[in-house]
Structure formats: structure tokens, C-alpha cells
Amino acid sequence: MKKTYILLVLVFILSVLPCCAYAIEPPENISVSDYAGVMTDSSKSYIDSKNDILFAAAQAKIVFVTVNSTEGMSISDYTDLLYKEWGIASIGRRNSVFVVIDTQKREYDFVQGKNIHLSLTDTVVYDCLIQSFEPFFSASEDNKAILSLYNALASWYESHYTNLTLNLDSNIDSYLYGEKTPDKMIIKNYTWIWITAIVCLVLIIIVLKIKRNIELKIRQHERRRLKKKFQIDIDKIVNS
């Protein structure tokens, strides 16, 4: 039974290994992280500057992350992983929006902070995605899609926070030209930890199996000894 449990644990570890083998270090300023290199520097500066104003007035940010790969995970699992590891939920008053875009698979997902999801609902975000993001994203105009979505979401914040004035620039085309410098992704690799854990688990299984075999041999030897003794005692009774 113990062996069965250990084997089940081993299977579980192997199944979650792709999700837990590494972690992406959060940037110093969580705002826009363009690991896929699809955004111009001026586009990122625009979002950073507006997020500074948004955070000062509403304790919120509209965070974007672009990647070329989700490392075998679904886009939703990858988004949830970054959301938790980067501590997005703890930004300000937990009313930020987190958007992750896989530029290779052409997928995306988002998460809202728990203190705002009842007003900035999934329906509202999807409306922004359909109207402001999808037309450009489907045409592989990723930079324009992100800026358009940022303005749409930022406009929602402006309409719900009376003390917030972002002065959003509707002429997003002016930000589409210039240098595109991909942000450097710093990865913490935990693969060795999991490999060590698996090796230790295998060794435990081997030790338990050896222990069981030893105990079995001891019991078998004891039974033979008792059986022999019992036979001797019977012979004595018969011969007496």
C-alpha cells in the first residue's frame, strides 16, 4: 500500500514538473514586459507613464506581458502562474488587470484583481478585447493591438475614478515606429530540485522494497525454525 502511494506521488510530481521547474523573475517595475520583442520602446514608455498616473490615483495598473512560449503550459495556467509569482494581486488595492499574450500561438488571457472583478467584469474586458484588440492582433499588429487595448481599459478606469485623468493619446500609430528592444527574461530554474526529489523518492521505494524482502525472509526463516521445533516436539511425544 505504501509503495502504491509513493508511486502515485511520483506520477503527480512528473505531471506538475513542467509548471514548477522554473520561475520568471518579476521586473523591477511591473507594468509592461515585452519578452517577445513586439513593442517599440516608445510604446512601452507610453504604457509605463500612464500606469504611473493610474497607480497614483487609483492604486491600479494595467499590466502586459508578451512571450514567445508558455513552456508547454496552457495560456491560462501560464497567466495564473505569473500572476501569483509576480504578486500582481498585492499591487495597490488589488484592482489591477494582468494581460499575458503568446505571440507565437496567438493566444492571450487576463486576470483582474479581486477587488475590481465585480465591476470590471469578464464581459467588460472581453468587449474591450473584441473591439480594440482582436482586429489588430488577428492581423499580427501586436504592438498596435496592445496599445489599443491599453487605451480601452484605461478609459474604463477614467470613467470609474473621478480623480483620474490620464490624457490618453488616441493617435497610437505615432508609437509604432522606432526601436524594439525585447525585455530580458530572467529565469530561475528549479529543475534540479525536482530531479533531486524524484531521485530521493526512487531511493525510498528501493529501500522500502529491500526492507520488505528482508522482513519477508526473516519471517520465512522463523516459520521454518518453528515448524522444525514443532516437528521435533511431536516426534518426542510419539516416541515416548
Side-chain angles (χ1 to χ4, degrees):
M1 187 62 72
K2 289 183 179 179
K3 183 178 178 181
T4 302
Y5 285 141
I6 293 174
L7 288 174
L8 289 174
V9 171
L10 181 59
V11 171
F12 173 75
I13 290 176
L14 292 174
S15 67
V16 302
L17 182 58
C19 300
C20 304
Y22 78 102
I24 301 175
E25 283 273 16
E28 290 184 7
N29 178 33
I30 297 178
S31 178
V32 52
S33 298
D34 179 32
Y35 299 126
V38 297
M39 301 183 68
T40 61
D41 295 347
S42 59
S43 296
K44 290 186 284 186
S45 295
Y46 173 77
I47 292 177
D48 284 339
S49 63
K50 300 305 178 184
N51 266 343
D52 288 341
I53 300 171
L54 178 58
F55 186 77
Q59 291 290 294
K61 287 186 178 183
I62 304 169
V63 182
F64 284 91
V65 177
T66 70
V67 295
N68 287 320
S69 170
T70 57
E71 303 299 331
M73 287 179 268
S74 68
I75 187 64
S76 59
D77 287 344
Y78 192 82
T79 301
D80 289 340
L81 178 67
L82 287 187
Y83 186 83
K84 293 173 183 176
E85 292 199 347
W86 285 18
I88 304 299
S90 62
I91 293 177
R93 296 173 182 164
R94 299 189 177 187
N95 54 355
S96 298
V97 180
F98 185 60
V99 183
V100 177
I101 302 164
D102 184 343
T103 60
Q104 291 297 313
K105 291 184 179 180
R106 315 307 295 169
E107 296 176 334
Y108 53 85
D109 197 16
F110 63 89
V111 182
Q112 313 100 302
K114 72 174 186 177
N115 288 344
I116 201 173
H117 76 280
L118 293 179
S119 50
L120 183 57
T121 62
D122 287 354
T123 301
V124 173
V125 178
Y126 277 123
D127 283 343
C128 292
L129 285 164
I130 292 171
Q131 296 176 20
S132 303
F133 182 82
E134 275 289 352
F136 303 115
F137 189 64
S138 60
S140 295
E141 297 182 69
D142 298 347
N143 195 163
K144 193 170 185 177
I146 292 169
L147 287 174
S148 179
L149 178 58
Y150 183 88
N151 278 354
L153 292 171
S155 295
W156 182 92
Y157 279 95
E158 273 192 319
S159 67
H160 286 75
Y161 290 85
T162 56
N163 63 331
L164 175 62
T165 303
L166 290 171
N167 294 317
L168 299 170
D169 192 347
S170 59
N171 182 25
I172 58 177
D173 286 345
S174 62
Y175 299 93
L176 304 180
Y177 306 99
E179 290 291 327
K180 292 183 178 180
T181 308
D183 293 309
K184 186 177 180 180
M185 182 183 291
I186 301 175
I187 297 177
K188 285 183 177 180
N189 197 321
Y190 296 122
T191 303
W192 67 272
I193 296 177
W194 287 99
I195 290 175
T196 302
I198 291 171
V199 170
C200 290
L201 199 57
V202 171
L203 289 175
I204 290 172
I205 293 173
I206 293 173
V207 169
L208 289 176
K209 187 174 182 180
I210 293 174
K211 180 183 176 184
R212 183 185 177 190
N213 289 338
I214 292 174
E215 290 175 346
L216 182 61
K217 288 181 180 180
I218 291 174
R219 286 197 299 269
Q220 289 174 344
H221 175 74
E222 185 65 19
R223 285 173 183 171
R224 286 196 297 268
R225 187 185 68 81
L226 291 174
K227 185 176 180 181
K228 185 177 180 180
K229 183 177 181 298
F230 180 72
Q231 187 61 48
I232 292 173
D233 292 341
I234 290 178
D235 291 341
K236 287 180 179 179
I237 294 171
V238 171
N239 295 327
S240 62

